[in-house]
Amino acid sequence: AGARAVGAPRVAASLVAERMAALPEHKRRAARTLSKSRDAHADVLSKTTEDAVVLSIPGAESVQSWRAGVYARETQTLYKRVREADEQESFLYALPKRGMWLVGSTPGSTVGGLVAYDEVRDARKLNCAWHVFDGRTWAPARGVAVTVAKGRG
């Protein structure tokens, strides 16, 4: 049993590599980013005592999927994505006068990749439908959720 346990991770890694090679480049890039992000987020969550939320965006095929991850609270209505140095910045922020929350690259802008219409002032209390911009049009984004990040600290 011990020999099989040692070889199993190697076989699994080989199967993952084969599957990755068969994917289109944009999906391989999304999977690599997700893997790196999970490691970075786990590290941050193990050390953080500040408020943070997790933005879940199911489906690696979404053009906005790179925005998924852990967002650390900057102010009451602004969260900044925890990221690697080579990753683009992303923010989760409210526009209270418009009754909306956006996920985008410029806090305060009405331009973003995801939007939710909710007047709550605390992202941890968001409980509404999200819409995603695919580069041409807005569409319902099923399964997108903001949840409270739980540290291991």
Side-chain angles (χ1 to χ4, degrees):
R4 189 185 321 168
V6 171
R10 199 172 312 159
V11 171
S14 177
L15 291 172
V16 169
E18 285 177 28
R19 281 205 163 149
M20 286 288 288
L23 290 174
E25 176 56 30
H26 73 281
K27 288 190 177 184
R28 285 196 308 263
R29 189 172 39 250
R32 283 191 303 266
T33 298
L34 182 59
S35 179
K36 281 186 354 187
S37 295
R38 281 185 182 144
D39 293 342
H41 297 159
D43 185 51
V44 168
L45 286 176
S46 70
K47 298 173 187 169
T48 189
T49 57
E50 62 186 317
D51 292 330
V53 295
V54 176
L55 174 65
S56 302
I57 306 173
E61 69 281 353
S62 170
V63 72
Q64 300 295 339
S65 63
W66 66 272
R67 295 185 185 276
V70 175
Y71 284 71
R73 189 177 195 157
E74 300 279 315
T75 68
Q76 182 180 2
T77 58
L78 173 65
Y79 292 76
K80 183 177 180 180
R81 186 167 66 100
V82 177
R83 63 186 180 90
E84 295 289 322
D86 62 341
E87 293 179 321
Q88 185 175 344
E89 285 190 325
S90 185
F91 300 89
L92 168 65
Y93 55 94
L95 295 177
K97 291 181 181 177
R98 293 183 178 249
M100 62 199 296
W101 281 82
L102 285 114
V103 178
S105 300
T106 308
S109 172
T110 57
V111 177
L114 293 116
V115 64
Y117 294 95
D118 198 327
E119 294 184 3
V120 299
R121 296 261 183 156
D122 185 342
R124 298 168 298 179
K125 295 180 181 174
L126 278 167
N127 188 21
C128 60
W130 285 85
H131 289 79
V132 62
F133 188 69
D134 68 6
R136 292 184 310 225
T137 185
W138 288 95
R142 290 174 179 58
V144 172
V146 174
T147 56
V148 176
K150 299 197 182 339
R152 290 182 259 161

